[in-house]
Amino acid sequence: MKRPAWRLACAALLALLVLTACTPVARSPATATATPSAPQRPALRLIGTAEIAPGTEVLGSTFGGISGIDYDPARDRWLLISDDRSALQPARFYTATLRYGLQGLQVPRIEGMVALRHASGAVFPSARRPVPGIEVPDAEAVRWLPGGDRFLWTSEGDFARGFRPQLRESRLDGSAVRDIPLPDAFTPRRSQGQGPRANATLEGLALSPDGATAWLAMEMAWLQDGPAPTVAAPGGPLRITALDVATGRPLRQIAYVPDAVAHARRVPVGPQLNGVSEVLDDGPHHLLVLERGYSAGAGFTARLYRIDTRTGSDTLALPALRPGNHTPAPKTLVADLATLGAGPLDNLEGMAWGPPLPGGGRVIVFVSDDNFNPAQVTQFIAAEYLPDTAAQ
């Protein structure tokens, strides 16, 4: 999500809340939240945090804007995608090494930077140097395909220039494989009060364990489906759509209701919002859903939920979601990340499964988008996932 207002608000209001040093914060087992012997619901236990300072120069580019992350176990490498649209730098992704263990999380080592390319073979243009007929992508989520040589990534679109949200497949050298067609309902039609909201579209992408099904999560409700969340009320139901990766054929769609905004802004003006910023597979029938919020002067929030994709009614055929014509998927709170002990949260937009701990514990790594704001950082959080084994 790119919102210029965030940069103005954060620069003045969050400067004292974030660190700009590129140093890790380790959490030892002695200080971490104790692992329950029999959790009553899924939970998280903090492993550690690390930060990369804003403005850090990496391989000829300014590192930042990290909106998606994924891990390739075959080659032990991480993929980080940047949603930088405003600078002269092109749309790009980074490869990295990231290490953690029982004693904490190390600062990731950035090893490669690759520009993303359009189907024409050209590098995607920046917003300052747009090219007619080619989108300036707003990359938000990324997932390796089986084999680790290709990956899927989403773009929220370039609404002002007539480009809708996109799901794309690319190679490790940045070249395009294909654009995967999305249903016509993903086309914005603001004048008709239909379709996705600008800057609130394809924030989340999950792959089934076999890589055959992609789940695409909108950040907020489509215009015809309900309002954005407020402090007083949850948002309208947003849509999470399953597609066949090979063909792009829609398979199923479920509705998900995001929480109300957690805190009122602490200044007279500025944003206060909440929405889905990422989804992650948790076995063949479950998704983890990350809700990220922000209120000017109050900072960021993040909550992780778990849903069963078999629950909730199929909404693919519904032109509009109304009370009584569908059943949203119930959600179970896994963790409020503000309570993990990681310190003040930044703008968490990505999450991925990482290598297991030495004892076999499953690990989720979260990453934040610093918006290229000097008052923010790229924050990495590693946490052990403690599933409710009775609910698998």
Side-chain angles (χ1 to χ4, degrees):
M1 175 197 298
K2 304 303 290 184
R3 285 180 170 80
W6 284 34
R7 301 185 182 186
L8 297 175
C10 288
L13 300 167
L14 297 181
L16 299 179
L17 298 180
V18 297
L19 300 175
T20 57
C22 183
T23 57
V25 181
R27 308 287 175 182
S28 69
T31 59
T33 302
T35 301
S37 57
Q40 298 302 305
R41 68 181 188 192
L44 293 179
R45 181 189 68 83
L46 181 67
I47 295 171
T49 69
E51 297 171 353
I52 295 179
T56 299
E57 293 297 314
V58 175
L59 302 171
S61 70
T62 302
F63 184 82
I66 305 302
S67 294
I69 183 172
D70 206 28
Y71 176 68
D72 173 19
R75 294 173 175 81
D76 187 28
R77 61 185 172 186
W78 293 79
L79 196 64
L80 306 169
I81 199 163
S82 174
D83 69 356
D84 185 9
R85 301 181 74 248
S86 59
L88 295 178
Q89 301 169 112
R92 61 197 181 277
F93 66 90
Y94 299 89
T95 54
T97 297
L98 187 153
R99 300 282 185 244
Y100 51 77
L102 296 177
Q103 299 305 313
L105 171 67
Q106 298 178 14
V107 175
R109 184 173 72 249
I110 309 304
E111 298 177 333
M113 190 277 290
V114 181
L116 288 162
R117 295 182 176 274
H118 185 260
S120 67
V123 172
F124 279 103
S126 71
R128 294 187 187 178
R129 294 177 178 173
V131 175
I134 299 181
E135 169 197 3
V136 176
D138 186 357
E140 293 293 347
V142 65
R143 295 292 174 212
W144 288 109
L145 288 167
D149 295 321
R150 299 181 180 186
F151 57 89
L152 299 180
W153 59 285
T154 67
S155 169
E156 285 204 275
D158 187 358
F159 283 22
R161 299 177 61 242
F163 295 94
R164 68 202 300 259
Q166 295 283 349
L167 174 64
R168 293 189 165 98
E169 180 179 346
S170 294
R171 300 181 183 89
L172 193 56
D173 64 0
S175 61
V177 176
R178 58 176 175 149
D179 291 355
I180 299 176
L182 298 177
D184 183 64
F186 282 74
T187 301
R189 296 181 173 88
R190 185 175 181 180
S191 63
Q192 302 173 33
Q194 296 183 343
R197 290 173 160 85
N199 265 338
T201 68
L202 294 182
E203 284 277 341
L205 171 62
L207 276 183
S208 60
D210 61 3
T213 303
W215 287 92
L216 302 175
M218 308 303 289
E219 182 180 359
M220 295 183 189
W222 288 350
L223 291 171
Q224 72 269 27
D225 291 338
T230 67
V231 174
L238 59 88
R239 302 189 188 221
I240 304 178
T241 307
L243 298 180
D244 178 81
V245 171
T247 66
R249 180 173 62 90
L251 303 173
R252 177 173 166 77
Q253 187 182 80
I254 54 179
Y256 177 94
V257 180
D259 293 346
V261 177
H263 306 292
R265 58 179 173 243
R266 295 178 182 172
V267 292
V269 296
Q272 47 186 21
L273 50 89
N274 182 64
V276 169
S277 64
E278 188 58 285
V279 289
L280 183 64
D281 77 283
D282 186 18
H285 303 300
H286 292 84
L287 292 176
L288 298 178
V289 182
L290 180 63
E291 294 190 31
R292 177 275 326 274
Y294 174 75
S295 294
F300 295 98
T301 60
R303 292 174 179 166
L304 185 66
Y305 288 95
R306 187 176 191 260
I307 63 171
D308 188 328
T309 57
R310 297 166 296 185
T311 63
S313 52
D314 189 346
T315 60
L316 266 175
L318 295 178
L321 302 182
R322 299 284 183 260
N325 75 351
H326 73 287
T327 302
K331 60 186 188 181
T332 299
L333 179 66
V334 174
D336 182 339
L337 273 68
T339 68
L340 287 185
L345 298 177
D346 211 286
N347 178 30
L348 295 177
E349 291 204 359
M351 63 176 174
W353 294 113
L357 291 171
R362 301 175 72 195
V363 176
I364 302 175
V365 175
F366 301 87
V367 68
S368 72
D369 174 358
D370 69 352
N371 290 312
F372 298 94
N373 183 341
Q376 294 180 247
V377 297
T378 301
Q379 180 183 49
F380 296 85
I381 300 175
E384 184 180 8
Y385 179 60
L386 307 169
D388 177 3
T389 55
Q392 299 302 300

